[in-house]
Amino acid sequence: MTLKDVAKHTGRSVSTVSLALRGDRRISEPVRLVIEQAAKQLGYRADLSGVLLSQTKPKILGIVASFDQELHTSYTKEILALAHKDKFRVLTENIALYANLHDPLDKLAQFRVDTVIAINPPDDARGLHPQVVIGQESPYAHADLVASDNTVGAAELVEHLYSFGHRKIIYLDGPDGVSAQKRAASIQAAAKKIGLQVKRWRAGNTLSAGYKAATSVLADLWGTAAAPLTECSAIVCYNDQCAQGAYLALLKSGLSVPTDVSLAGFDNSAIAASCAFSITSVDRHPKEVAAAAYGRAKERHAGSVEAPRELHCATSLKIRSTTGPANYLNSFKRLN
């Protein structure tokens, strides 16, 4: 089936049918609906490559992200929903499959995608660069930056732990990079302000990394009877995937969460919110971040952006069942 077939069936011109199927506002809603229904009935499928070649500036955006990270997937899902409402087509590339950022950007450029949103991109674009960055810092001077401000969420988390009697905590750090540095700094700054001590421990952003790090913590800090879970009574993790691994390590060692050790993460992911884990976590509000990034991408696509901007979205704490009173307080109550 071709556009000519749809045009003949509806009694409209080929150009009218073409505009209607592209969602062009010059075609009235009733006419567009009739044409779309006819196209569906006839089994017409648009030739996307032909559409792209025929348009001076096609309504298409690109997203580059690491889809093994749930937060990246959440951002992408929200952007796709917004783009669908505006009839933008979106091409996505998984940076985890490439050796550097240049390759997925180059592939998107071959499809005439000139507006790209990159989520936590590495600094190796070699000439090509995204127009909008979601992350803690943008390595590209001409790109917009949409960042989650960890300040409020981190402060709420350490204050929550302090109120339960925790005075020393372990922070399982993320992989090398700006995101990990800024997240750790926000935790340390908030903790210092209220007198809570933080011991930073190398970990990562995966379940396996959290499991290995927590196992190492148990062996090195809590492995002797002389120091029974009194020095550090809570663990805060770089993200919820890391916290999930730490949770499993604690349970396999015979410890109870939160009776023996409190546990918290970042991102307020589906993992954290699930009834299986119910992890206290800092919500980065991906819907607001995605909306801000998509809004800037639309403006850039329309050519209405004169200078790059930096936008910040607040974070907040979601309290669940993995945090509670410091274990030594429970011990004290039992003894008295």
Side-chain angles (χ1 to χ4, degrees), residues 288-309:
E288 288 80 356
V289 172
Y294 174 70
R296 289 302 289 172
K298 273 184 62 179
E299 291 177 9
R300 284 186 170 269
H301 182 273
S304 58
V305 173
E306 297 181 357
R309 291 181 60 191

Side-chain angles (χ1 to χ4, degrees), residues 31-330:
V31 172
R32 182 182 63 79
L33 290 174
V34 168
I35 291 174
E36 286 181 348
Q37 183 61 36
K40 184 177 180 180
Q41 181 182 340
L42 294 172
Y44 170 77
R45 291 184 178 180
D47 178 5
L48 291 182
S49 60
V51 171
L52 291 176
L53 289 173
S54 67
Q55 296 177 350
T56 304
K57 194 172 182 63
K59 291 186 70 174
I60 185 168
L61 301 175
I63 299 176
V64 175
S66 294
F67 293 120
D68 57 343
Q69 292 295 305
E70 186 181 325
L71 183 62
H72 289 211
T73 305
S74 295
Y75 289 144
T76 302
K77 179 181 177 181
E78 297 295 342
I79 293 170
L80 288 172
L82 293 168
H84 178 72
K85 291 179 180 179
D86 291 333
K87 297 190 180 301
F88 267 94
R89 294 182 176 88
V90 181
L91 295 182
T92 62
E93 286 289 341
N94 186 0
I95 185 61
L97 302 178
Y98 297 90
N100 57 66
L101 183 62
H102 175 85
D103 293 333
L105 287 175
D106 184 59
K107 182 176 287 189
L108 290 173
Q110 290 176 28
F111 283 97
R112 296 181 61 196
V113 181
D114 58 10
T115 306
V116 177
I117 300 170
I119 303 173
N120 281 347
D123 186 12
D124 59 356
R126 297 201 315 248
L128 291 172
H129 64 81
Q131 286 67 48
V132 181
V133 170
I134 296 176
Q136 289 299 301
E137 185 176 276
S138 174
Y140 315 107
H142 301 292
D144 294 310
L145 174 66
V146 181
S148 293
D149 187 347
N150 294 314
T151 306
V152 174
E156 290 180 351
L157 174 55
V158 297
E159 287 167 7
H160 170 65
L161 293 174
Y162 193 88
S163 71
F164 272 134
H166 298 280
R167 295 298 179 262
K168 295 182 181 180
I169 67 172
I170 297 287
Y171 177 67
L172 298 188
D173 209 350
D176 293 338
V178 174
S179 178
Q181 292 169 8
K182 293 204 171 186
R183 198 168 301 183
S186 66
I187 288 288
Q188 291 174 317
K192 183 179 180 181
K193 189 174 181 179
I194 62 173
L196 189 150
Q197 295 182 40
V198 179
K199 184 174 180 63
R200 201 167 165 180
W201 202 278
R202 188 175 182 83
N205 59 359
T206 65
L207 184 151
S208 292
Y211 183 87
K212 290 177 181 178
T215 300
S216 176
V217 167
L218 291 171
D220 287 10
L221 292 186
W222 298 333
T224 65
L229 302 183
T230 57
E231 284 300 306
C232 297
S233 53
I235 296 177
V236 174
C237 300
Y238 169 76
N239 67 0
D240 292 333
Q241 287 169 273
C242 179
Q244 184 186 23
Y247 201 149
L248 295 175
L250 292 168
L251 294 183
K252 289 184 73 172
S253 70
L255 296 174
S256 174
V257 178
T259 302
D260 296 316
V261 183
S262 284
L263 181 69
F266 267 78
D267 297 346
N268 191 34
S269 64
I271 292 171
S274 70
C275 60
F277 286 93
S278 186
I279 299 171
T280 295
S281 183
V282 174
D283 190 350
R284 297 169 67 79
H285 299 289
K287 182 171 288 189
E288 288 80 356
V289 172
Y294 174 70
R296 289 302 289 172
K298 273 184 62 179
E299 291 177 9
R300 284 186 170 269
H301 182 273
S304 58
V305 173
E306 297 181 357
R309 291 181 60 191
E310 190 169 315
L311 306 175
H312 292 268
C313 298
T315 54
S316 61
L317 182 65
K318 297 294 182 181
I319 299 172
R320 298 192 176 92
S321 63
T322 56
T323 48
N327 63 283
Y328 65 83
L329 292 183
N330 288 333

